[in-house]
Amino acid sequence: MRTRIAAGRVIDPAHRRDGIGDVWVDDGRIIDAPPSGTAADQTFNATGKIVMAGAIDIHSHIAGWNVNTARLLLPEFHRAATPRPAGTPLSNAGWSTFATGCLYAEMGFTTVVEPAVLPHYALHAHLELADTPIIDTATLAVLGNDDFLLALIRDRESATAVEDYVAWTLDAARALGVKVVNAGGSLALKANVRQFGFDDVVPDYGVSSREIVKTLQRATHALGVPHPLHVHCNNLGMAGSDATALTTIAAAEGLPLHLAHLQFYGYGKEGARGFSSAAPQLAEAVNGAKSVTIDVGQVMFGQTVTVSLDTLRQFNSRNHARPRKWVLLEGDANGGGIVPYNYRAGDFYNAVQWAVGLELFLLIDDPWRVFFTTDHPNGAPFTTYPEIFALLMDRDLRAQQIAALPPDAMAVTTLPGIAREYSLSEIATMTRAAPARLLGLTDRGHLGAGAVADIAVYSDDRDRAKMFRAAALVFKDGELVVRDGVVTRYRAGRALTVQPGRDRAIDRRMTRYYDERYGLSDAYIKIPDHAVGRPFGLVPCAR
Ligand SMILES: [Zn+2]
């Protein structure tokens, strides 16, 4: 069926397109405009509307046992969208996997990456993602606190051995890329270490955090995995964490490296309270390190819950829990931690955090290298994205909000003096074209012929938050799924994975390892094709 989205303002930075025109779709894909006079089977009038590719979120915690533990810890925050009979378990559970898919689609997002999946728990994450309607999803497999990798490094095994292990893990866990969370820090916590930096050494292994990050960065690159190693740095959230981030950026050494939620490392020690924005220094370092990409992890004010595999950090922040309850799980490798938190506009530290995120967005020059995240739900729920788009696009709106925040907090940031406003094209770059390129998803993030027909149409409105909150139309694979901000059709998305080549000798070695170490078959962590009841989409690797 041939569909025409007619006469909208088409913003497609991948093809340097920003102008009034049509977008044509056939059989789930975007096609070149046919000769004029060709009739469409259906036409949507997009006059006065903005047409973009579907948005892509590269880092949002939406599935897996950590997220599920947060749901169980905080039943009082569930919204009763479809109440179950009172008195039954989870009778008021509202924000389910089902709601996640719908809420994303209603904002025009069509692909989301869950960035923190421990390989041993990957099946659970994939089952939840398969239950998340409409959007395509992918996962990042977390390595770097696991015994097998650290033993490889300790024993000075070859780069090839590490590459084979990484390739085996990506295949077993059906992931799109590799992440490392506080490399070595979770293992150090188990040895009663309470602070762990980039050049500190993991007890029992004699391996530094730097060695772990560099080893995984090189292996990911050598395997030709499109997405570079995704790094959650050490010392998250601490005054002086800017030094850790700067050291990690320098350690990229010209090879691709992605730093997650950089906002949480943008804190210097200046000012009367010893807590200040270091965003200008971090932005300068990112601007100069062309192989480095970052996402922001913007903080917005309100109640949320922090969900992290960084058990060292979560242990240290447990006393800040609001409400006062938390969960820390010591598991294989990373374990995990859940600490609810309430960001308050009147709080000095929270106001600085809010400003640091916006400074990073506005001081990093290249929208192809700075990615839009709140580290959902850690900085804020993803439902706050429309408000953040509005803040980036309107300095007057920022000034209004700055005026309501503690002046001493704003005094230790540069935000009040920043005039930059994002254009719609820059927003489209940061949320569509750039993330597709960063993840190796050549079939999306743009509106060129051959792309999957994931398309978001917004009613052009001076109130950008209102505009981005409720897309006028959203198409997934060419099918209309949202109209006037409401889901009109449910469909299953795909799970996107990579499968880089490996020497199969690693398979026999892993079978032996699981048998000797756990008394388990390695099939225990492998996700077979049929397990989740939906197709996997294979993203090509360079090797
Ligand atoms: Zn995260």
Side-chain angles (χ1 to χ4, degrees):
M1 185 168 70
R2 199 169 273 190
T3 301
R4 177 184 173 206
I5 301 164
R9 178 179 166 194
V10 179
I11 300 179
D12 182 17
H15 296 99
R16 298 177 188 279
R17 185 175 176 193
D18 182 354
I20 304 297
D22 294 351
V23 173
W24 286 77
V25 173
D26 194 12
D27 200 19
R29 296 267 169 177
I30 292 171
I31 57 168
D32 286 323
S36 62
T38 306
D41 299 309
Q42 57 175 352
T43 299
F44 294 88
N45 182 2
T47 306
K49 294 185 166 56
I50 288 162
V51 182
M52 295 184 185
I56 301 168
D57 191 340
I58 67 160
H59 189 122
S60 175
H61 301 278
I62 57 169
W65 66 275
N66 235 350
V67 175
N68 220 24
T69 306
R71 291 188 183 110
L72 293 168
L73 181 68
L74 299 160
E76 65 270 39
F77 294 147
H78 294 177
R79 291 182 302 187
T82 48
R84 299 164 197 223
T88 60
L90 300 177
S91 60
N92 60 350
W95 195 328
S96 58
T97 49
F98 188 78
T100 296
C102 296
L103 290 166
Y104 262 116
E106 287 167 0
M107 299 190 300
F109 279 74
T110 47
T111 304
V112 179
V113 177
E114 156 56 62
V117 173
L118 290 170
H120 289 184
Y121 303 102
L123 178 59
H124 177 179
H126 274 292
L127 286 168
E128 281 197 59
L129 291 173
D131 195 44
T132 304
I134 304 172
I135 56 174
D136 287 345
T137 55
T139 64
L140 302 182
V142 174
L143 294 173
N145 280 290
D146 52 305
D147 168 68
F148 195 88
L149 178 74
L150 269 74
L152 287 178
I153 301 173
R154 177 196 62 203
D155 299 341
R156 307 265 170 251
E157 293 216 32
S158 67
T160 314
V162 175
E163 289 157 26
D164 286 340
Y165 171 58
V166 171
W168 179 88
T169 305
L170 285 166
D171 189 15
R174 299 290 186 142
L176 186 66
V178 183
K179 185 190 189 192
V180 59
V181 177
N182 193 354
S186 288
L187 281 175
L189 175 71
K190 293 173 189 173
N192 281 324
V193 172
R194 294 292 178 266
Q195 191 172 348
F196 191 73
F198 197 59
D199 286 302
D200 287 335
V201 169
V202 184
D204 302 329
Y205 291 91
V207 172
S208 72
S209 194
R210 179 189 294 270
E211 286 177 276
I212 299 169
V213 170
K214 291 301 295 179
T215 300
L216 284 173
Q217 179 201 25
R218 290 193 200 104
T220 307
H221 185 67
L223 287 168
V225 175
H227 186 45
L229 178 66
H230 195 106
V231 183
H232 166 131
C233 299
N234 322 89
N235 292 326
L236 183 143
M238 293 167 52
S241 55
D242 57 331
T244 304
L246 291 170
T247 305
T248 311
I249 290 168
E253 296 168 329
L255 277 187
L257 195 68
H258 181 84
L259 268 57
H261 40 69
L262 192 63
Q263 179 278 128
F264 286 109
Y265 305 90
Y267 315 139
K269 293 178 171 175
E270 306 295 316
R273 304 208 197 196
F275 189 80
S276 58
S277 166
Q281 294 89 312
L282 293 191
E284 190 186 340
V286 172
N287 286 335
K290 302 297 182 202
S291 70
V292 171
T293 51
I294 70 112
D295 65 86
V296 170
Q298 176 67 33
V299 156
M300 294 291 271
F301 302 115
Q303 176 71 51
T304 190
V305 53
T306 65
V307 172
S308 180
L309 301 184
D310 187 345
T311 45
L312 195 158
R313 159 69 194 171
Q314 294 298 68
F315 179 78
N316 288 337
S317 65
R318 70 197 185 284
N319 292 329
H320 298 291
R322 296 284 184 284
R324 296 191 64 82
K325 52 182 175 178
W326 48 273
V327 175
L328 201 79
L329 291 157
E330 183 177 81
D332 262 339
N334 281 78
I338 315 296
V339 181
Y341 193 75
N342 190 357
Y343 293 101
R344 289 166 300 153
D347 179 89
F348 171 87
Y349 299 96
N350 295 163
V352 172
Q353 292 183 293
W354 177 84
V356 166
L358 293 173
E359 286 178 284
L360 289 173
F361 275 121
L362 296 163
L363 295 174
I364 295 174
D365 301 330
D366 183 359
W368 286 89
R369 292 201 291 124
V370 55
F371 293 86
F372 188 90
T373 64
T374 59
D375 190 18
H376 164 87
N378 292 314
F382 68 76
T383 46
T384 60
Y385 290 180
E387 280 72 34
I388 305 171
F389 292 135
L391 287 168
L392 295 176
M393 295 185 74
D394 186 343
R395 81 188 83 160
D396 295 333
L397 182 64
R398 291 201 296 270
Q400 275 172 32
Q401 300 202 6
I402 287 168
L405 296 174
D408 56 340
M410 293 304 103
V412 295
T413 82
T414 64
L415 185 64
I418 301 176
R420 182 178 170 194
E421 294 180 329
Y422 269 67
S423 66
L424 280 169
S425 183
E426 287 176 320
I427 294 282
T429 300
M430 183 170 61
T431 56
R432 275 81 174 169
R437 191 164 84 178
L438 182 73
L439 299 168
L441 308 177
T442 53
D443 66 351
R444 63 194 66 205
H446 65 92
L447 296 169
V452 290
D454 293 357
I455 303 166
V457 179
Y458 301 100
S459 299
D460 197 357
D461 194 312
R462 287 173 59 86
D463 182 344
R464 296 303 189 196
K466 181 179 167 203
M467 168 177 141
F468 282 113
R469 194 176 300 124
L473 303 168
V474 179
F475 299 85
K476 181 77 191 79
D477 294 301
E479 189 174 15
L480 184 68
V481 290
V482 170
R483 191 188 272 278
D484 298 327
V486 177
V487 172
T488 53
R489 179 159 180 80
Y490 303 101
R491 61 200 305 283
R494 280 179 294 270
L496 306 170
T497 64
V498 289
Q499 211 173 53
R502 64 179 186 267
D503 181 338
R504 293 285 165 165
I506 190 69
D507 293 56
R508 293 188 290 279
R509 187 170 173 184
M510 296 314 295
T511 302
R512 228 170 29 244
Y513 175 77
Y514 275 91
D515 182 32
E516 288 170 4
R517 180 60 56 107
Y518 301 99
L520 287 170
S521 159
D522 60 343
Y524 152 72
I525 81 159
K526 289 181 182 168
I527 302 175
D529 273 332
H530 59 267
V532 295
R534 67 168 179 167
F536 288 98
L538 197 59
V539 175
C541 287
R543 177 174 135 184

